[in-house]
Amino acid sequence: MLEHGGRLRAAARQYGVAQEHWLDLSTGIAPWPFTVPTIDMHAWARLPETDDGLEAAACAYYDAPQVLPVPGSQAAIQLLPRLRKVGKVGVLSPCYAEHAEAWRRGGHLVREIREAEVDYYLDGLDVLVLVNPNNPTGRLVPPERLLEWHQRLSQRGGWLVVDEAFMDPTAAFSISRYTSRPGLIVLRSFGKFFGLAGARLGFALAESKLLRLLAEQVGPWAVGGPIRAVGLACLEDRTTQAVQRARCALASERLVRLLSDAGLQPQGGCALFQWLITEHAAPLHDFLAERSILVRLFAHNSSLRFGLPAVEADWQRLEAALTAYRQTEVVS
């Protein structure tokens, strides 16, 4: 299993502080969860059915021709490599590590490449995979460039797989409306923007034939009735969606200012997190953890990802910790 953010229990054990005393900024999940509706007991007592309106609501929300609900977009990430014969796969890196890992496990030859290298390698690839906006760097590739890459791949029967897990606050950059085109696959996460990661719900957007093949791999009743009800309510709640987009944008901008004022200018980010490279990433991570503030450490490139604080007290707590860290840096 690869390491991910959100491992709060492990941090609590390591640093000897109970979970309830932590400020967890280690994920890119919105810290304001949507209100979960009252779930009818029939949803718990019966097998889920697909005529409850969830797919239609998802198509409307994502502006997509067709969708397949999956138990978290992670499920689709792991299953997609099974739908192609073994080939050459490029993964724009650094990114969410599960993508490259899934294709390697599927027996494919994986090359991790930079954005500037795509044009050089693309004509020798069967599949190109990227996260947009990227996790953790926040890099955002424009739709027109993605569609150009897809066109080059599709001419040879190739795929472009775009993980849009963090796209909700910047939906104008999504290519979901084009997913009826063969070989264009978009993955959307429900839990991050709606603040309900525990729901384990995601959506695959692609042409109908590919979605049928993926559905066979996912199997029947993959998303439970109660989760379908939650997803439907949230996808139709346009008022709270607008509020969520606005507060994510404001919080992300505030986080940039706070980190910059502490001498930690982010090198990237999006509306749900900020990311910075620093040679002091590991000691800063430990300094914050010793004050029960958990951020995501990427040891391989000495970088940190900061999620959004939820309330004013959390902002003040983070600011105080960063001020204290900067003072220790000055002294040393």
Side-chain angles (χ1 to χ4, degrees):
M1 294 289 288
L2 299 176
E3 184 177 340
H4 300 288
R7 301 176 68 246
L8 187 57
R9 289 182 187 274
R13 290 193 298 268
Q14 180 179 351
Y15 292 92
V17 179
Q19 278 185 253
E20 59 268 24
H21 299 305
W22 283 80
L23 170 57
D24 185 4
L25 305 178
S26 67
T27 72
I29 299 167
W32 310 282
F34 275 47
T35 300
V36 175
T38 301
I39 305 298
D40 190 296
M41 279 303 299
H42 287 95
W44 296 102
R46 297 174 57 87
L47 288 170
E49 301 184 58
T50 58
D51 58 356
D52 56 5
L54 176 62
E55 283 82 355
C59 285
Y61 176 78
Y62 295 120
D63 189 19
Q66 56 274 316
V67 304
L68 174 69
V70 291
S73 54
Q74 177 63 39
I77 290 171
Q78 293 182 219
L79 293 173
L80 282 174
R82 300 184 186 180
L83 303 184
R84 287 192 67 96
K85 65 180 181 180
V86 172
K88 297 178 180 179
V89 179
V91 179
L92 255 65
S93 298
C95 75
Y96 182 56
E98 292 286 351
H99 285 289
E101 182 68 13
W103 288 94
R104 288 193 183 102
R105 287 176 179 170
H108 299 265
L109 178 62
V110 176
R111 179 186 291 273
E112 299 191 48
I113 60 178
R114 306 283 181 174
E115 182 181 350
E117 298 174 320
V118 171
D119 288 326
Y120 177 80
Y121 286 110
L122 191 61
D123 292 332
L125 299 175
D126 300 296
V127 179
L128 177 65
V129 182
L130 68 144
V131 183
N132 203 43
N134 190 42
N135 172 25
T137 68
R139 179 211 64 241
L140 190 60
V141 180
E144 54 271 18
R145 190 164 195 211
L146 295 176
L147 295 175
E148 177 190 341
W149 291 343
H150 167 256
Q151 183 178 25
R152 289 170 60 183
L153 287 161
S154 65
Q155 290 172 351
R156 298 177 287 103
W159 286 0
L160 177 67
V161 180
V162 184
D163 181 349
E164 294 187 347
F166 297 95
M167 184 62 80
D168 298 64
T170 50
F173 289 87
S174 173
I175 58 170
S176 57
R177 65 180 64 88
Y178 304 106
T179 49
S180 60
R181 300 181 182 183
L184 181 57
I185 304 161
V186 169
L187 304 179
R188 297 297 293 254
S189 169
F190 172 81
K192 292 178 177 61
F193 175 72
F194 291 97
L196 297 169
R200 306 313 306 139
L201 176 63
F203 296 90
L205 289 52
E207 62 170 322
S208 298
K209 179 182 177 181
L210 192 146
L211 290 184
R212 286 196 296 271
L213 293 173
L214 183 58
E216 291 175 1
Q217 293 292 323
V218 174
W221 313 302
V223 179
I227 300 306
R228 290 181 65 93
V230 170
L232 175 59
C234 293
L235 290 170
E236 291 184 333
D237 186 356
R238 301 294 176 154
T239 300
T240 309
Q241 291 165 18
V243 171
Q244 189 83 317
R245 288 190 182 92
R247 61 187 169 191
C248 284
L250 289 172
S252 184
E253 292 168 4
R254 181 176 179 180
L255 185 56
V256 171
R257 293 194 301 270
L258 190 154
L259 291 169
S260 299
D261 290 345
L264 300 165
Q265 176 69 44
Q267 279 79 42
C270 66
L272 289 168
F273 60 81
Q274 290 298 319
W275 174 77
L276 62 97
I277 296 177
T278 169
E279 60 182 330
H280 305 297
L284 175 54
H285 171 271
D286 290 340
F287 184 91
L288 294 174
E290 288 165 359
R291 287 151 182 79
S292 304
I293 300 174
L294 186 61
V295 298
R296 179 74 162 92
L297 172 65
F298 299 92
H300 68 280
N301 61 3
S302 192
S303 67
L304 295 167
R305 188 187 64 200
F306 287 74
L308 306 178
V311 297
E312 187 60 34
D314 294 341
W315 286 102
Q316 294 178 7
R317 183 173 171 184
L318 177 60
E319 182 177 13
L322 291 175
T323 299
Y325 177 77
R326 192 173 189 184
Q327 290 173 345
T328 63
E329 287 288 287
V330 171
V331 171
S332 61

